[in-house]
Amino acid sequence: GFPGPQGPPGVKGDSTPLHRSAFSMGLGSKSSVLGNVPIRFTKAFYNEQRHYDETTGKFRCVIPGLYQFSYHLTVYMKDVKVGLYRNNTPIMLTFDQYQTNNVDQASGSVLLHLMAGDEIWLQIYGEENVAGIYGDNINDSTFSGILLYPDKE
Amino acid sequence: GFPGPQGPPGVKGDSTPLHRSAFSMGLGSKSSVLGNVPIRFTKAFYNEQRHYDETTGKFRCVIPGLYQFSYHLTVYMKDVKVGLYRNNTPIMLTFDQYQTNNVDQASGSVLLHLMAGDEIWLQIYGEENVAGIYGDNINDSTFSGILLYPDKE
Amino acid sequence: GFPGPQGPPGVKGDSTPLHRSAFSMGLGSKSSVLGNVPIRFTKAFYNEQRHYDETTGKFRCVIPGLYQFSYHLTVYMKDVKVGLYRNNTPIMLTFDQYQTNNVDQASGSVLLHLMAGDEIWLQIYGEENVAGIYGDNINDSTFSGILLYPDKE
Ligand SMILES: [Ca+2]
Ligand SMILES: [Ca+2]
Ligand SMILES: [Ca+2]
C-alpha cells in the first residue's frame, strides 16, 4: 500500500521560562515610616506577582537572579537617613539633609544578585525613630525593584 | 498506511528578545518647558524606534507590557513641580524647592504596565506656567523609558 | 502500507536572553575622586562579568547593545559637577550645588547604544581638581550599568 500521511509536528523548542518579578510602590495614606522596622509602601503602581508584601514592607525573592532596586524619596521637615536592607543588613545608605523651605529629592539604586528567600526593604537607620521621608497626593516617594537577569538553569 | 511519527522538537529559541521599545531624551536648545502641555525633550540620547515623539513630548506605547520610566531634572531658579502623566492623568508627582545658590537635582522612576496606545509624558502640574526645570550644555535634564517585560503572546 | 514520513520540526522555542553585562559599584575607602581622570568606584555590589575595571574606573563594552547607566551621588562639602563620558567625550552632565548643613543627593541616568570596545565612565568636568562627591560607611555614592537589549545577531 501507500505510505501513511506525514506525522504531527514536533513539540515546541526549549526555552527558559519567562521569569518575571517586579514591583513599584509609593508612600500612600496607609503607608508607615517608623524606626527599627521596614518602611511600608502601600500605594501600588505595579505589584502583579505580589513579591512585595505591603503588610511587612519587604520584597521576598522567589526567582534567583540579578535585580535592580531603586528609590526616590521626598525630603521634607527632617533629614532623611535611609538604608536598603538585605536580610537585616544595611547594604546601601542614603543621607540627605533638610533645610527650611528647601524640600529635596534623594534617590538611590543598586544591582544585587539574590537567592530565593532573600528579603529586601528600606528602613531608617541610626537612632532615629522618625525621618523626613514624605509622601502625599502631590509628593510621591517610591520604591521599585525588577528582575533583570534570571539565573540560568 | 499509518501516519508517520511525530517530528523532532523545534530548534531552541532566539537568544535575543524581539520586542524592543526605549527612549532616552534630554532638554535641548529646542526643548520647551511650558505649563498645561507636555514638556518637550528634543535632545536624543536614544530613540531608535521613535516611540517618543519630540514634537509632542509624548511616548506612545506600541508594544504592550511592563515599562520603566525615569527622569532626572535640574532644579534652577524656581521650584520644580512635575507630574508623570498617563493619558491626561498625573500618576506620579515630584516636588523640589529651589533656594538661591543651591541648584538641586530631582528624580523619579516608576514601573507601569501599558496597553498599546497608552501615552506617557512629563508635565508641570498646578497653576504654574513655568517651572525651574533647566537644561543647557552643562546641565542635563533627562526623561527615559524602556520596555522591560513585553506581554506574553 | 508503510508509516508516513516524520512530521515537521516543532516551532521555535521562546526567546531567552543569554547575553549579560552589568555592574553596580560604590565609592569605597580605596576609591578616588580626582580631576582629569575617571572616578574610581571600588566597592562592588555586583561586577560578575568584570566589565567594569575598578583600577581604571572605566566600563568597557564587550557585548554590543543598548545599556542603561545610572549614578547617585552624595553632595557634601563642595558643589558636584560630573560628566558621564563615552570615549573621552562628556555626553551627559550633572550639576548640584552644596550649601552648609544641606547635604544633597544628585542623580542621573541615560540609555546608550554601545559598540564593542566603547568605554563609559564618570569624571569631574571643568577646571576643578576636586568635587563634593562623597562616600563613607553611611553615605553611598554609586555608579551602575546594565545591558538591556543585546544587538540582534
Ligand atoms: Ca531643594
Ligand atoms: Ca543642592
Ligand atoms: Ca538636602
Side-chain angles (χ1 to χ4, degrees):
Chain A
F2 296 102
Q6 185 181 49
V11 297
K12 192 173 183 180
D14 285 333
S15 69
T16 298
L18 295 171
H19 292 309
R20 293 173 172 195
S21 178
F23 69 93
S24 190
M25 304 292 294
L27 278 187
S29 56
K30 296 182 180 176
S31 301
S32 67
V33 181
L34 300 170
N36 303 314
V37 290
I39 297 170
R40 291 174 47 233
F41 292 84
T42 60
K43 178 181 174 179
F45 294 104
Y46 182 85
N47 193 21
E48 188 172 301
Q49 299 85 20
R50 305 204 64 77
H51 295 169
Y52 180 86
D53 183 343
E54 69 182 44
T55 66
T56 63
K58 296 180 178 179
F59 168 78
R60 189 167 187 279
C61 173
V62 172
I63 304 166
L66 183 66
Y67 287 78
Q68 181 186 60
F69 295 96
S70 53
Y71 48 91
H72 299 263
L73 307 172
T74 300
V75 181
Y76 180 52
M77 298 290 283
K78 282 179 62 73
D79 297 350
V80 166
K81 300 180 182 177
V82 73
L84 184 84
Y85 282 68
R86 176 181 181 160
N87 304 333
N88 284 314
T89 303
I91 55 166
M92 194 173 71
L93 297 161
T94 296
F95 176 44
D96 195 316
Q97 287 178 308
Y98 175 74
Q99 281 194 334
T100 306
N101 296 327
N102 193 353
V103 168
D104 279 341
Q105 294 290 327
S107 63
S109 76
V110 70
L111 305 178
L112 295 174
H113 182 268
L114 301 187
M115 315 285 229
D118 279 346
E119 293 180 315
I120 301 288
W121 68 87
L122 288 181
Q123 186 172 318
I124 301 166
Y125 70 85
E127 301 302 310
E128 304 290 329
N129 276 309
V130 290
I133 303 166
Y134 185 75
D136 66 14
N137 61 332
I138 58 164
N139 288 280
D140 280 297
S141 286
T142 61
F143 179 35
S144 300
I146 187 154
L147 172 63
L148 291 166
Y149 298 160
D151 282 353
K152 295 166 189 176
E153 282 160 21
Chain B
F2 299 103
Q6 187 178 39
V11 298
K12 195 169 183 180
D14 287 326
S15 62
T16 305
L18 300 175
H19 295 306
R20 294 174 172 197
S21 178
F23 69 93
S24 189
M25 305 292 295
L27 277 187
S29 57
K30 296 182 182 176
S31 301
S32 66
V33 180
L34 299 170
N36 302 315
V37 290
I39 297 170
R40 290 175 46 234
F41 293 84
T42 60
K43 178 181 175 180
F45 293 103
Y46 181 86
N47 194 20
E48 191 173 300
Q49 299 85 21
R50 305 204 64 75
H51 294 169
Y52 180 84
D53 183 342
E54 69 185 44
T55 66
T56 62
K58 296 180 180 181
F59 167 78
R60 188 166 188 279
C61 173
V62 172
I63 303 167
L66 183 66
Y67 287 77
Q68 181 187 60
F69 295 95
S70 53
Y71 48 90
H72 299 262
L73 307 172
T74 300
V75 181
Y76 180 52
M77 298 290 285
K78 281 179 61 73
D79 297 349
V80 166
K81 299 180 184 177
V82 72
L84 184 83
Y85 282 68
R86 175 181 182 159
N87 304 332
N88 284 313
T89 303
I91 55 165
M92 193 172 70
L93 297 160
T94 297
F95 176 45
D96 195 315
Q97 286 178 309
Y98 175 73
Q99 281 194 332
T100 306
N101 296 325
N102 194 353
V103 168
D104 279 339
Q105 294 289 328
S107 63
S109 75
V110 71
L111 305 178
L112 294 175
H113 182 269
L114 301 187
M115 314 286 228
D118 279 346
E119 293 181 316
I120 301 287
W121 68 88
L122 289 181
Q123 186 172 317
I124 301 166
Y125 69 84
E127 301 302 309
E128 304 289 329
N129 276 310
V130 291
I133 302 168
Y134 185 76
D136 65 15
N137 61 333
I138 58 164
N139 288 280
D140 280 297
S141 286
T142 62
F143 178 36
S144 300
I146 188 154
L147 173 63
L148 292 166
Y149 298 160
D151 282 352
K152 296 166 189 178
E153 282 159 21
Chain C
F2 298 104
Q6 186 180 48
V11 298
K12 200 170 191 178
D14 288 321
S15 294
T16 307
L18 295 173
H19 295 307
R20 292 169 175 201
S21 178
F23 68 94
S24 190
M25 305 292 295
L27 278 186
S29 56
K30 297 180 180 177
S31 301
S32 67
V33 181
L34 299 169
N36 302 314
V37 291
I39 298 170
R40 290 174 48 234
F41 293 84
T42 61
K43 177 181 174 181
F45 294 104
Y46 182 86
N47 193 21
E48 191 173 299
Q49 300 86 20
R50 304 203 64 75
H51 295 169
Y52 180 85
D53 183 343
E54 69 183 43
T55 67
T56 63
K58 295 180 180 180
F59 167 79
R60 189 168 187 278
C61 174
V62 172
I63 303 167
L66 184 65
Y67 288 78
Q68 181 187 60
F69 295 96
S70 52
Y71 47 92
H72 299 263
L73 307 171
T74 301
V75 181
Y76 180 51
M77 297 291 283
K78 281 180 62 70
D79 297 349
V80 166
K81 298 180 185 179
V82 72
L84 184 84
Y85 282 67
R86 176 182 181 158
N87 304 333
N88 285 313
T89 302
I91 56 166
M92 194 173 71
L93 299 160
T94 297
F95 176 45
D96 195 315
Q97 287 179 309
Y98 175 74
Q99 280 196 333
T100 306
N101 295 326
N102 194 352
V103 168
D104 278 341
Q105 294 289 326
S107 63
S109 76
V110 70
L111 305 177
L112 294 174
H113 182 269
L114 301 186
M115 313 286 228
D118 279 347
E119 292 180 316
I120 301 287
W121 67 87
L122 289 182
Q123 186 173 317
I124 301 167
Y125 70 85
E127 302 302 309
E128 304 288 331
N129 276 311
V130 291
I133 302 168
Y134 185 75
D136 66 15
N137 60 334
I138 59 163
N139 288 281
D140 280 296
S141 286
T142 62
F143 179 35
S144 301
I146 187 152
L147 172 62
L148 291 166
Y149 298 161
D151 282 352
K152 294 166 190 178
E153 285 161 18

